[in-house]
Amino acid sequence: MTERLTSEAQGLFAVLRQSADPETVAEIERFVAEASDRELCRVNAIDFAATRRLDEERVVAAFLHAARLGIFELSWNVLCPGCGGVLDTSSTLKSVKHDDYVCALCAEGYQPTLDEMVEVTFTVSRRVRKIAAHEPDELPFFEYMRQIFWASGMSIPEDLEQLGEEITLDTLELPAGEKAQLSLQLPAEFLIVFEPVTHAAQFIDVKGEPTRERQNLSLVFNNLRAPTGAVAMRPGPLRLSLENRTETRVLPAIWIAGDALHELLGRRRPFLTAKRLLTNQTFRDIYRTDTIDPHQRLKITSLTFLFTDLRGSTALYERVGDLSAFDLVRVHFQVLHEIVAAEAGAVVKTIGDAVMATFATPDRAIAAALKMRDAMRALNDKSGREDLLLKIGVHAGPCIAVSMNERQDYFGQTVNIASRVQNLANAQAIFATRAVVDDNLTADLLHRNALTPVPHEVSLRGIEREIAVYTIP
């Protein structure tokens, strides 16, 4: 299995086995040794787990540790939600802009959100195994599209080249600084001259009466990423003049923008989002400095926040003494951290005896809350006293990811509401908002546990309107 791996690579995997799940590491090592070059470029960790029936969290954690060791190169890719193309890529989230990205192919501008428009992928490192994608300028057109242009969330068919022939009138590899001409017979279709290296596009709406006269169109490729252009032409001959003013080769192609192309662009699969990674405890633990620049303000359309606090902790210190109380609180923190991580969440920070944690989806937060309540009851039963009375509040909604005090944090009204909902809770209570309990997965979880949330309208400090808060018994 490891014949294709260098001795250095085998040593790195030996180190990886000390920090990640051994079964998962064995699958990744086998994958790196045996997979095709194509498969080792921008690995989709979620799909990797699904196809091998492995636990997603263990897979993500293993890939993160592997990237930290240099087995993989981690990249943050800004995606176009329309065509699935990668608009920008970087080894750090700090380079992601908060203003609009423009996709020439879709002729649309998008403001990046961490839950839909930024994916995280893993490409095998050169020091472990050299693959074709390490030299992208040498990839043929359709392999460039598959491995470099399209995101890991695209489900690209194995017969892409065959499908490509059906939707492509012509392609050309144009070296840096050179010019070329293509002679085409334009069909009565809507066409796109698309160049994936510079992300340039020219739309050609071919309609009307056919002509025998030769039509002319000139395109210049540069690094300015000029706005997408559109021109109307008639069916008939076209001389397409192309000029490459970049310092690398370009790969212009002429596509028929019909049903086949739209079907291809609509093929999607789940992928590892930046939001999910930012709510991953392993990532927060080992990539503390590689998160968000202090000047960045990156949007998340929906994130679930869970706040906890110990009721009567001051009286606890008075009742059992500082040392005993400190030990109890320390054990409580350890248990909460373990539960949050087990439910695919991450602890953002602790404030006194309180915890702020995030989860990608509401159901995982509620699952964690139920486990926390049970765990505190078990600790109290063990001591024979009601020392640990945990208040829990859960809310979900949009927020902004920020960097504060050299730590990744979150800002916005959703955070404020979650904190204040927790303040409403009494001993051992779980309070959640409508945004949480109305989630379908949360509803299924509560139903399986025979729990019926009890609603009541409340007023929260700083919130103008009353909101519906549910007690989970």
Side-chain angles (χ1 to χ4, degrees):
M1 177 185 72
T2 60
E3 292 179 359
R4 296 183 67 176
L5 300 183
T6 65
S7 58
E8 179 187 11
Q10 294 179 39
L12 291 173
F13 276 106
V15 175
L16 180 61
R17 279 189 284 274
Q18 299 174 19
S19 56
D21 174 61
E23 179 187 357
T24 304
V25 173
E27 283 292 334
I28 294 175
E29 186 173 14
R30 184 180 301 111
F31 174 64
V32 170
E34 299 176 355
S36 66
D37 282 14
R38 173 193 297 171
E39 295 173 292
L40 291 169
C41 176
R42 290 187 182 161
V43 178
N44 180 329
I46 303 303
D47 187 66
F48 182 93
T51 55
R52 291 162 178 79
R53 297 183 179 180
L54 297 172
D55 179 79
E56 281 188 5
E57 293 306 308
R58 291 180 179 179
V59 166
V60 172
F63 271 104
L64 287 171
H65 282 291
R68 199 63 168 174
L69 290 171
I71 297 173
F72 290 95
E73 298 168 357
L74 183 152
S75 63
W76 305 80
N77 308 319
V78 180
L79 315 181
C80 170
C83 67
V86 174
L87 305 178
D88 194 16
T89 185
S90 175
S91 60
T92 173
L93 183 59
K94 293 178 180 179
S95 68
V96 175
K97 303 178 296 183
H98 63 266
D99 48 356
D100 285 2
Y101 284 84
V102 176
C103 176
L105 182 57
C106 295
E108 291 285 351
Y110 303 97
Q111 190 172 66
T113 58
L114 297 184
D115 37 6
E116 296 176 352
M117 277 191 62
V118 182
E119 70 168 5
V120 181
T121 58
F122 303 86
T123 297
V124 72
S125 170
R126 295 170 185 263
R127 64 191 290 199
V128 172
R129 178 178 156 188
K130 194 169 186 310
I131 60 173
H134 290 149
E135 304 295 341
D137 288 346
E138 298 179 8
L139 290 173
F141 176 78
F142 285 109
E143 280 305 310
Y144 186 93
M145 293 296 299
R146 182 195 297 273
Q147 298 185 44
I148 306 300
F149 180 78
W150 276 315
S152 72
M154 291 288 289
S155 182
I156 306 300
E158 288 297 319
D159 62 345
L160 175 62
E161 288 76 8
Q162 180 180 343
L163 177 61
E165 291 178 2
E166 299 176 13
I167 63 175
T168 306
L169 295 182
D170 207 346
T171 62
L172 177 68
E173 180 174 330
L174 188 59
E178 294 198 7
K179 301 178 181 181
Q181 290 184 341
L182 290 176
S183 295
L184 304 169
Q185 191 70 24
L186 295 181
E189 301 275 4
F190 192 81
L191 306 179
I192 305 174
V193 182
F194 180 62
E195 201 296 294
V197 180
T198 60
H199 287 240
Q202 172 71 52
F203 297 156
I204 307 176
D205 189 5
V206 185
K207 58 187 178 181
E209 291 295 321
T211 180
R212 293 184 179 180
E213 294 183 10
R214 186 173 63 193
Q215 304 165 96
N216 295 284
L217 180 63
S218 297
L219 297 178
V220 175
F221 302 109
N222 51 43
N223 292 318
L224 300 179
R225 297 190 183 179
T228 300
V231 64
M233 290 190 166
R234 294 164 61 185
L238 168 69
R239 181 168 63 188
L240 181 60
S241 300
L242 305 169
E243 181 179 358
N244 180 8
R245 294 182 184 173
T246 74
E247 296 180 355
T248 185
R249 67 152 191 184
V250 294
L251 298 169
I254 300 90
W255 282 347
I256 300 172
D259 293 341
L261 176 60
H262 290 119
E263 181 182 351
L264 173 62
L265 298 181
R267 292 171 173 256
R268 304 300 168 94
R269 60 183 179 177
F271 60 90
L272 180 60
T273 64
K275 179 183 86 169
R276 178 160 179 181
L277 201 59
L278 293 182
T279 62
N280 178 277
Q281 193 65 56
T282 300
F283 175 77
R284 291 188 69 98
D285 289 344
I286 67 177
Y287 284 88
R288 291 180 182 272
T289 60
D290 189 17
T291 51
I292 297 171
D293 186 271
H295 302 293
Q296 279 178 300
R297 303 290 186 268
L298 297 174
K299 290 184 178 180
I300 298 177
T301 58
S302 181
L303 191 65
T304 304
F305 292 89
L306 180 149
F307 280 82
T308 73
D309 196 12
L310 282 175
R311 178 175 178 269
S313 57
T314 301
L316 171 65
Y317 280 84
E318 181 70 25
R319 185 169 65 253
V320 304
D322 288 347
L323 287 178
S324 295
F326 176 79
D327 286 340
L328 280 171
V329 173
R330 179 180 54 81
V331 170
H332 135 272
F333 275 133
Q334 180 180 345
V335 169
L336 296 192
H337 273 75
E338 291 173 354
I339 291 173
V340 169
E343 290 299 330
V347 172
V348 178
K349 57 187 173 184
T350 58
I351 310 166
D353 298 327
V355 168
M356 172 185 174
T358 57
F359 298 83
T361 55
D363 62 301
R364 304 304 287 265
I366 292 298
L370 296 174
K371 289 181 179 179
M372 289 174 180
R373 183 165 65 182
D374 290 343
M376 294 305 105
R377 286 171 176 167
L379 289 173
N380 287 333
D381 289 344
K382 184 177 180 180
S383 68
R385 300 189 303 269
E386 292 291 309
D387 289 329
L388 299 173
L389 303 176
L390 195 66
K391 304 188 300 176
I392 304 173
V394 187
H395 180 49
C399 63
I400 298 175
V402 299
S403 179
M404 299 181 67
N405 301 320
E406 298 183 350
R407 176 177 60 194
Q408 184 232 315
D409 208 333
Y410 301 92
F411 176 81
Q413 192 73 307
T414 298
V415 183
N416 298 334
I417 291 175
S419 175
R420 286 161 190 167
V421 166
Q422 175 268 312
N423 287 333
L424 294 172
N426 52 21
Q428 296 291 74
I430 300 172
F431 277 18
T433 61
R434 177 172 290 153
V436 174
V437 299
D438 280 356
D439 175 77
N440 290 335
L441 293 177
T442 301
D444 290 343
L445 172 65
L446 295 174
H447 178 73
R448 291 196 305 271
N449 286 273
L451 297 172
T452 302
V454 179
H456 43 102
E457 297 288 325
V458 300
S459 297
L460 300 177
R461 181 173 56 85
I463 310 298
E464 293 183 0
R465 68 189 188 284
E466 286 193 339
I467 67 170
V469 173
Y470 295 75
T471 304
I472 298 177

